[in-house]
Amino acid sequence: EGIDLRLYPGMEIFGTMHTAQRLRSGMLCPLAASHYPLIEFPFSDFADEATEILDSVLRLGLRPIVAHPERYRYIQLHPQLLNLWTDMGCLLQLNRGSLLGRFGEREEALGHALIERGFATFVASDAHSPVVRTTWIRDVQTLLTEEYSEETAHALLEENPMCVLRNQEIELPEPDWFN
């Protein structure tokens, strides 16, 4: 078709106590063959386990990206846990749908708080099909530009993701910690 397109390997990994072992053995794949695995967790009652899993992945020399933390009930109730995860070296990827209010008011409010406080590293579609939760991102780009800045939208949607594709370090300023 003559389309200038590059595909990169990657997967959203469901975090279990075997995640680090499976990453080490090559059974699981970080994004773009980088040192950035994208890891998601159950939506409730998993704070201690998630922290242990993230620590085991970090000990491999990888830098986990936590998928949609704003949707986890235990983070909504105790956002201070993100202080620990961020201090450990984890990065946070928010869902486009959360910021647009499609998953509920708590998810929307926490998603925006994570951007305002400097915790968010990425915003992604969390696409699940070509019809529902698609790869469309223009609406959240507009929202980020209008509510925050063009620089914020660029960092969350382009600059930081490009660092993952290039397997480059992502340096973030210290966030405004939760009390």
Side-chain angles (χ1 to χ4, degrees):
E1 296 292 322
I3 299 170
D4 186 24
L5 176 70
R6 287 189 71 167
L7 298 178
Y8 296 88
M11 60 193 323
E12 185 177 44
I13 298 165
F14 189 79
T16 71
M17 293 305 185
H18 304 288
T19 297
Q21 174 188 348
R22 290 180 176 149
L23 279 162
R24 185 176 39 244
S25 72
M27 290 176 62
L28 297 175
C29 175
L31 299 175
S34 69
H35 69 283
Y36 294 105
L38 176 63
I39 304 175
E40 72 172 335
F41 298 109
F43 289 99
S44 61
D45 302 325
F46 206 72
D48 293 337
E49 295 88 342
T51 302
E52 188 175 332
I53 292 163
L54 292 169
D55 182 60
S56 67
V57 171
L58 284 158
R59 281 188 271 122
L60 293 177
L62 301 173
R63 191 163 186 198
I65 300 170
V66 178
H68 43 68
E70 76 282 2
R71 296 182 61 201
Y72 302 141
R73 184 78 172 129
Y74 44 95
I75 297 293
Q76 293 169 1
L77 294 173
H78 304 286
Q80 303 85 354
L81 185 56
L82 295 177
N83 297 347
L84 172 62
W85 290 0
T86 300
D87 198 41
M88 290 167 61
C90 300
L91 303 173
L92 306 178
Q93 178 174 288
L94 309 181
N95 276 173
R96 160 190 169 262
S98 295
L99 297 173
L100 296 171
R102 300 202 176 133
F103 295 111
E105 291 178 9
R106 282 189 301 237
E107 292 79 359
E108 181 179 11
L110 183 54
H112 284 279
L114 294 177
I115 293 171
E116 291 162 4
R117 289 174 166 269
F119 280 91
T121 313
F122 313 93
V123 172
S125 67
D126 197 23
H128 280 227
S129 82
V131 179
V132 178
R133 287 168 62 182
T134 69
T135 58
W136 181 255
I137 207 88
R138 181 87 56 207
D139 51 3
V140 79
Q141 180 181 27
T142 300
L143 177 141
L144 291 169
T145 300
E146 290 175 356
E147 291 197 24
Y148 301 100
S149 68
E150 194 169 307
E151 293 78 21
T152 297
H154 180 73
L156 296 174
L157 297 172
E158 297 177 51
E159 183 180 332
N160 294 338
M162 191 57 70
C163 287
V164 171
L165 292 179
R166 294 178 179 150
N167 200 25
Q168 297 172 335
E169 284 302 315
I170 298 173
E171 298 299 326
L172 300 171
E174 188 170 304
D176 180 13
W177 303 110
F178 287 98
N179 295 324

